[in-house]
């Protein structure tokens, strides 16, 4: 066994000892939760909801916070950064049952295609998932159908969540500058 093999064995031993030390620092409740997670006690859920995106006018929910020096001449609005706090509803109508908020940061991040880099949190404020969140992080080519974005985490019921979402523009009213985005989310999380 060469020096590289010895190095990897020592490195593996150090990592294993570090993991054991970290586990010994956890409370009984934390250990139980991690054991459930690693032993496969997971739930898989499909969620379906709508995001109400009010882009202008009184009570708008999307605001520009920054732009690059080429945003105004870019056909894709490259470099524009917006924050949003949109209503999350059970149905496509803006007056349907409120489920929570879609909050986050979107950046126009493609010079050739209308695509966003998204950091979006679904904050549930009612129903079974009240107090929980799901986090989406990824590229959203906004003119395409069936846009897939990864679920990279969550809180509350959705702690350690992973999965993906499929989004589509359900409707857009150019006069009101109001869009409705349909989301179908497939998520797995620790059953608790």
């Amino acid at each position: 066994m060469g020096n590289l093999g010895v190095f990897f064995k020592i490195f593996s031993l150090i990592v294993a000892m570090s993991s054991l030390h970290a586990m010994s620092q956890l409370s009984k409740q934390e250990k139980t939760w991690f054991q459930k997670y690693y032993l496969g006690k997971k739930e898989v859920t499909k969620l379906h909801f709508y995001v109400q995106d009010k882009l202008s006018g009184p009570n708008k929910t999307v605001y520009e916070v920054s732009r690059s020096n080429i945003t105004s001449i870019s056909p894709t609005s490259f470099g524009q950064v917006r924050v949003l706090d949109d209503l999350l509803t059970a149905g496509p109508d803006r007056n349907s049952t409120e489920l929570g908020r879609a909050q986050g940061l979107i950046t126009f991040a493609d010079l050739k295609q209308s695509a966003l880099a998204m950091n979006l949190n679904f904050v549930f404020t009612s129903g079974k998932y009240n107090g929980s969140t799901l986090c989406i992080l990824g590229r959203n080519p906004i003119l395409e159908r069936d846009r897939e974005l990864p679920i990279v985490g969550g809180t509350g019921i959705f702690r350690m969540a992973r999965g993906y979402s499929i989004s589509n523009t359900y409707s857009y009213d150019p006069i009101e500058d109001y869009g409705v985005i349909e989301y179908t989310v497939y998520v797995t999380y620790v059953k608790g």
Side-chain angles (χ1 to χ4, degrees):
M1 180 185 317
N3 289 339
L4 191 57
V6 171
F7 169 78
F8 280 120
K9 283 192 177 207
I10 292 172
F11 180 75
S12 298
L13 182 61
I14 291 170
V15 169
M17 289 173 30
S18 297
S19 297
L20 287 173
H21 176 71
M23 284 297 284
S24 72
Q25 302 301 309
L26 297 175
S27 70
K28 184 176 181 180
Q29 181 181 3
E30 291 167 327
K31 285 180 185 175
T32 301
W33 187 88
F34 275 103
Q35 286 170 345
K36 280 184 183 179
Y37 180 75
Y38 286 107
L39 293 176
K41 298 185 189 275
K42 298 180 185 96
E43 182 80 19
V44 178
T45 298
K46 176 184 174 184
L47 305 171
H48 185 249
F49 49 80
Y50 297 83
V51 172
Q52 307 289 329
D53 205 28
K54 187 164 175 41
L55 299 163
S56 63
N59 303 316
K60 71 180 186 174
T61 59
V62 180
Y63 289 86
E64 181 178 318
V65 293
S66 182
R67 58 180 35 227
S68 73
N69 60 351
I70 69 163
T71 301
S72 61
I73 60 169
S74 169
T76 64
S77 298
F78 181 81
Q80 184 181 68
V81 179
R82 295 178 178 178
V83 293
L84 60 95
D85 185 8
D86 290 340
L87 183 62
L88 201 67
T89 59
D93 185 86
R94 65 182 87 183
N95 296 315
S96 67
T97 303
E98 182 176 335
L99 301 176
R101 307 296 293 187
Q103 300 171 332
L105 182 70
I106 57 175
T107 304
F108 290 79
D110 193 316
L111 285 166
K112 296 181 180 178
Q113 180 185 13
S114 291
L116 304 172
M118 295 182 63
N119 174 358
L120 189 61
N121 296 288
F122 295 127
V123 181
F124 296 95
T125 59
S126 66
K128 178 179 178 181
Y129 306 114
N130 184 23
S132 299
T133 66
L134 283 173
C135 182
I136 287 180
L137 182 65
R139 182 176 186 276
N140 184 352
I142 59 178
L143 299 178
E144 293 182 10
R145 287 200 47 75
D146 297 328
R147 303 179 299 266
E148 183 175 332
L149 290 129
I151 302 293
V152 297
T155 63
I157 290 173
F158 296 123
R159 183 182 296 158
M160 299 288 283
R162 62 183 187 268
Y164 66 98
S165 72
I166 302 294
S167 63
N168 282 292
T169 302
Y170 180 84
S171 65
Y172 176 72
D173 181 340
I175 295 169
E176 283 194 55
D177 206 10
Y178 192 97
V180 178
I181 300 101
E182 179 180 24
Y183 276 88
T184 303
V185 176
Y186 302 89
V187 62
T188 182
Y189 57 95
V190 177
K191 189 173 182 178

